[in-house]
């Protein structure tokens, strides 16, 4: 094996992925192990975490990773112990959780999935590296991230994110199709709030080819078709595919962590981060905001003038996430 000078000089990035034998992980692991997140010159060591009943299947995934002869993958470990999985990790993808089925809302999963995230937050607190970045994917992602962050008092809360990049990518893609443009051309789009049917994909500031895109679409299409279509896309996938999104979720997790680590060069994206009170969002709620990434940190885009429609939609998300927080007060 030929190592670049840089990879010889740097120790591998240590990464944990929970839900390692599940659907999302089966796409995500290969993307991490081929340098798409931490760079083409950086080796990775990956810890696979799953529950005892699924550890054998996770061992099988590890064998397949080995069989792929990936030059950047220095080591794969498999465990059912979060304390082992999170030992020294620089990044953790918390995917392991039950997906919803047809007719369920993501919040219906809170009772079953919420209790996973307190112990995992505590294990990260005790064992992760000082620079750990945690991306919660398991649903309902925002409130699960809140629970995990709350159980990790020594890790800065902003290192716990919930994934809303899939919503962001859907919002770009559905808009690009409507306007017959490329997603790469769209700037300043964001999805506010909760990874739920209440989320607010906001076109107010979006531009492409020097145009304000809100002026390029019909208002009725925007409010009656576009917003609900983006917000309910997860349910549409479950209806059509028979299972919840997996490869697109993995792809969005890659986008999220890569941008967090490598930066966005001033471009906006969407991340759910613990609020510091921006735009009247109560402190601590893990809320989707327009952000840029710079120097390894997310920065919420501040100072935007919001109109009544935007405020109303954001308020609906505040109310929903506040109610979710209230409903898990025993876990906080
Ligand atoms: P899956 O059922 O295929 O896999 C889930 C895996 O998690 C299983 O291997 C299971 O054994 C494991 N698991 C369960 N409890 C665990 C625990 N305590 N510790 C470690 N592992 C545990 O599900 P999937 O399709 O991979 O989806 C995983 C989660 O991601 C679901 O909650 C789903 O709703 C959510 N999701 C979120 C988004 C998003 O945009 N935020 C997108 C898609 C899916
Ligand atoms: C998604 O948005 O695809 C995921 O959150 C899965 C779901 O339950 O919709």
């Amino acid at each position: 094996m030929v190592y670049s000078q840089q990879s010889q000089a740097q120790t591998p990035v240590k990464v944990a992925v929970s839900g390692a034998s599940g659907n999302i992980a089966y796409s995500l692991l290969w993307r991490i192990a081929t340098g798409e997140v931490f760079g083409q010159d950086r080796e990775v060591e990956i810890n696979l975490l799953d529950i005892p009943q699924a550890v054998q299947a996770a061992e099988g995934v590890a064998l397949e990773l080995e069989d792929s002869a990936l030059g950047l993958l220095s080591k794969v470990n498999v465990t059912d112990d979060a304390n082992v999985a999170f030992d020294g990790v620089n990044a953790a993808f918390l995917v392991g959780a039950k997906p919803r089925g047809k007719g369920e809302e993501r919040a219906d999963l809170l009772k079953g999935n919420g209790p996973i995230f307190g112990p995992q937050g505590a294990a990260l607190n005790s064992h992760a590296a000082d620079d750990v970045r945690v991306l919660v994917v398991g649903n309902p992602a925002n409130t699960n991230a809140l629970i995990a962050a709350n159980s990790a008092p020594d890790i800065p809360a902003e290192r716990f994110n919930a994934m809303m990049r899939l919503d962001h990518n859907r919002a770009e893609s559905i808009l690009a199709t409507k306007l017959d443009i490329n997603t790469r051309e769209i700037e300043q789009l964001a999805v506010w709030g909760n990874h739920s049917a209440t989320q607010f994909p906001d076109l107010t500031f979006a531009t492409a080819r020097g145009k304000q895109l809100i002026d390029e679409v019909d208002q009725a299409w925007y409010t009656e078709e576009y917003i609900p279509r983006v917000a309910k896309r997860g349910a549409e996938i479950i209806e059509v595919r028979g299972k919840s999104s997996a490869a697109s979720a993995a792809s969005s997790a890659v986008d999220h962590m890569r941008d967090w680590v490598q930066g966005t060069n001033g471009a906006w994206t969407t991340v759910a981060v613990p609020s510091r009170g921006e735009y009247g969002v109560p402190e601590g709620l893990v809320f989707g905001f327009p952000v840029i990434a710079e120097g390894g940190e997310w920065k919420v885009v501040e100072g935007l003038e919001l109109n009544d429609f935007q405020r109303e939609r954001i308020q609906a998300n505040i109310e929903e996430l506040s109610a979710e927080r209230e409903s898990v007060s025993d876990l906080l």
Side-chain angles (χ1 to χ4, degrees):
M1 194 181 294
V2 179
Y3 290 94
S4 72
Q5 291 227 313
Q6 193 169 2
S7 68
Q8 274 176 344
Q10 291 183 316
T11 53
V13 185
K14 283 190 85 172
V15 184
V17 176
S18 74
S21 69
N23 279 304
I24 295 174
Y26 204 58
S27 289
L28 177 60
L29 289 164
W30 271 259
R31 306 276 304 267
I32 296 170
T34 52
E36 287 194 49
V37 177
F38 301 101
Q40 297 297 333
D41 54 2
R42 193 76 200 267
E43 289 184 22
V44 289
E45 175 176 337
I46 308 185
N47 292 343
L48 307 186
L49 173 66
D50 213 309
I51 52 176
Q53 308 88 290
V55 153
Q56 189 184 324
E59 296 275 7
V61 174
L63 294 180
E64 281 206 79
L65 279 165
E66 286 170 17
D67 291 350
S68 304
L70 304 169
L72 288 176
L73 183 59
S74 70
K75 203 169 173 207
V76 188
N77 312 293
V78 182
T79 179
D80 61 8
D81 183 347
N83 295 305
V84 174
F86 297 148
D87 190 31
V89 294
N90 311 104
F93 293 83
L94 303 189
V95 180
K98 193 171 171 274
R100 65 174 165 156
K102 284 184 192 175
E104 281 183 303
E105 288 302 324
R106 297 181 188 94
D108 298 336
L109 298 169
L110 200 45
K111 202 157 179 268
N113 285 345
I116 295 172
F117 291 86
Q120 291 192 353
L124 283 160
N125 196 57
S126 303
H127 301 287
D130 286 345
D131 66 350
V132 69
R133 292 180 171 86
V134 184
L135 174 58
V136 175
V137 175
N139 276 319
N142 300 54
T143 298
N144 288 339
L146 173 82
I147 295 167
N150 211 71
S151 307
D154 302 327
I155 301 175
E158 65 267 22
R159 303 281 188 73
F160 286 85
N161 294 175
M163 189 167 88
M164 288 186 64
R165 184 59 172 262
L166 180 53
D167 308 295
H168 182 95
N169 288 346
R170 288 167 172 164
E172 281 197 351
S173 159
I174 293 171
L175 180 65
T177 302
K178 173 78 175 170
L179 297 177
D180 197 20
I181 58 176
N182 193 291
T183 52
R184 276 175 309 193
E185 298 178 275
I186 300 173
E187 293 177 59
Q188 301 200 165
L189 183 151
V191 184
W192 300 84
N194 197 5
H195 177 58
S196 76
T198 307
Q199 67 183 249
F200 171 38
D202 185 3
L203 298 188
T204 316
F205 308 108
T207 63
R209 302 180 183 178
K211 289 184 179 153
Q212 292 293 134
L213 297 182
I214 193 77
D215 300 331
E216 301 296 306
V217 298
D218 180 65
Q219 185 67 18
W221 177 81
Y222 175 44
T223 56
E224 308 304 322
E225 289 185 45
Y226 176 74
I227 292 176
R229 182 97 196 270
V230 173
K232 294 180 184 163
R233 184 66 158 195
E236 184 183 345
I237 300 291
I238 292 169
E239 190 60 40
V240 177
R241 185 176 179 260
K243 279 196 276 196
S244 76
S245 63
S248 58
S251 198
S252 301
V254 166
D255 290 343
H256 180 127
M257 191 64 85
R258 180 203 59 227
D259 283 356
W260 196 357
V261 171
Q262 300 189 22
T264 61
N265 286 321
W268 289 21
T269 185
T270 299
V271 173
V273 286
S275 168
R276 292 175 167 148
E278 298 94 338
Y279 300 101
V281 178
E283 220 170 296
L285 288 185
V286 178
F287 203 88
F289 287 108
V291 294
I292 62 163
E294 212 171 56
E297 288 179 12
W298 297 115
K299 296 195 167 80
V300 173
V301 177
E302 294 203 66
L304 299 170
E305 292 264 350
L306 303 181
N307 60 34
D308 288 348
F309 179 72
Q310 291 173 294
R311 282 183 211 286
E312 201 180 284
R313 294 284 171 148
I314 290 169
Q315 186 57 31
N317 280 279
I318 290 174
E319 282 165 22
E320 186 174 77
L321 280 168
S322 299
E324 284 187 23
R325 175 160 70 179
E326 189 56 39
S327 77
V328 297
S329 54
D330 57 321
L331 301 177
L332 298 175

